[in-house]
Amino acid sequence: MPTLINNGIELYYETQGSGEPLVLLSGLATDSQSWLGCLPGLSKDHQTIILDNRGCGRSLPQDTQTSISLMAADVIALLDHLNLEQAHILGNSMGGFIALELATMYPNRVHKLILEATASKNTTENNIRFDNWAQSMEEDDDKLEWYREAFYWLFHHKIFNNPKSLEAKLTFASRYPYQQTASAFRKQLEAVKRFDARERLANISAETLILCGAEDLLFSTDYCQQSLAGIPNSKVVIINNAAHAIHVDNPHAFLTEVGQFLATP
């Protein structure tokens, strides 16, 4: 189990494949294992690096103070640890916030930038919604029902068309051995609330691919595009049959768009 000690944090990470390095950054309340479904496809042509952001998964201690800038600094420390001067960066949701922080604060370390279902600032509605999630987690230890609510917002509605499969997914998530604590979730949420990259987008020099889920309930396609419109060298692709977790909802389209973008000189 590879780990890196950085500023008092034991950062858990995994690497797979070879080629140009590609770092995958997960969203709020999720960790490196959220990428497992698309990892084989991505690691065919790339040294793919996944990590548990501070405050979740196997990165310890979970209840440490955090911010988007600290999570970005952890990524830089990991690149240094792996002797990588530069990497492609792909971030989903909060992971997209971290990716934007890297592209604006450490531009020489970012080769190409991929932003999946994210924005330059969270919405007021999402902040209220996530506060409710945090309160629910603090007041009730029923992980199964907590994930049932979260799944509605994260995944395409087709997931609910197969009740047996849905219950299996919910059971797996609720019994995951590296559950995020309520206090750690709250601290990640506060980091998300504070993040605002709107005034820095024009400084991004990396070629950028913006992926929007056509049926994303958290970041609509309109908000996603409008929020990230200030990135100079960027391309927007709307993925059909996908909501907030595009790489889970429509992995074929996701892998096709990412693969083509990274393969272009």
Side-chain angles (χ1 to χ4, degrees):
M1 187 174 76
T3 58
L4 162 69
I5 303 298
N6 182 53
N7 291 328
I9 302 299
E10 185 177 0
L11 191 70
Y12 176 85
Y13 71 94
E14 299 177 17
T15 64
Q16 186 172 316
S18 60
E20 291 185 340
L22 168 66
V23 178
L24 308 180
L25 300 172
S26 53
L28 179 69
T30 62
D31 64 23
S32 59
Q33 305 310 288
S34 66
W35 297 104
L36 291 185
C38 62
L39 200 57
L42 293 172
S43 60
K44 285 180 183 177
D45 301 307
H46 297 89
Q47 178 189 2
T48 307
I49 302 159
I50 57 176
L51 67 150
D52 292 352
N53 297 322
R54 59 170 59 210
C56 69
R58 280 169 272 190
S59 289
L60 300 171
Q62 274 206 9
D63 294 333
T64 185
Q65 292 299 321
T66 192
S67 66
I68 299 301
S69 60
L70 282 172
M71 286 186 266
D74 289 337
V75 176
I76 296 300
L78 180 55
L79 293 180
D80 290 343
H81 176 71
L82 297 173
N83 296 313
L84 298 173
E85 292 186 8
Q86 198 175 61
H88 301 303
I89 304 293
L90 193 167
N92 168 247
S93 196
M94 184 189 76
F97 291 4
I98 303 169
L100 284 169
E101 186 76 9
L102 288 164
T104 56
M105 302 306 293
Y106 308 92
N108 61 318
R109 307 303 295 271
V110 178
H111 188 181
K112 289 187 176 183
L113 179 66
I114 303 173
L115 302 172
E116 177 196 352
T118 193
S120 57
K121 180 177 173 59
N122 202 26
T123 67
T124 301
E125 294 87 349
N126 282 341
N127 285 334
I128 294 170
R129 183 174 297 115
F130 297 159
D131 270 328
N132 291 336
W133 290 6
Q135 184 175 352
S136 175
M137 191 183 291
E138 290 159 355
E139 294 177 350
D140 189 347
D141 198 35
D142 188 346
K143 291 290 187 181
L144 185 64
E145 291 309 309
W146 191 89
Y147 280 109
R148 194 182 301 278
E149 166 69 11
F151 274 26
Y152 171 80
W153 294 97
L154 297 177
F155 300 115
H156 191 269
H157 59 78
K158 64 187 174 184
I159 193 176
F160 298 97
N161 294 337
N162 186 335
K164 187 175 180 180
S165 175
L166 172 62
E167 290 305 314
K169 289 179 173 65
L170 286 168
T171 299
F172 176 82
S174 63
R175 295 180 180 175
Y176 181 60
Y178 306 105
Q179 294 285 342
Q180 187 178 42
T181 66
S183 60
F185 177 78
R186 176 70 74 175
K187 287 174 180 174
Q188 276 197 343
L189 168 57
E190 293 304 319
V192 165
K193 286 183 181 180
R194 293 191 299 268
F195 181 74
D196 187 348
R198 290 176 295 179
E199 300 302 318
R200 294 183 278 145
L201 297 181
N203 299 328
I204 294 177
S205 57
E207 184 180 355
T208 303
L209 173 65
I210 300 168
L211 298 177
C212 306
E215 297 177 71
D216 192 336
L217 298 178
L218 294 177
F219 290 129
S220 69
T221 56
D222 285 346
Y223 182 70
C224 178
Q225 294 179 82
Q226 173 238 330
S227 172
L228 299 170
I231 301 176
N233 187 14
S234 61
K235 169 188 175 184
V236 176
V237 175
I238 297 174
I239 304 293
N240 292 320
N241 298 311
H244 193 62
I246 299 170
H247 62 282
V248 177
D249 288 331
N250 195 340
H252 175 73
F254 173 82
L255 289 171
T256 297
E257 293 296 339
V258 170
Q260 290 177 351
F261 177 68
L262 294 181
T264 305

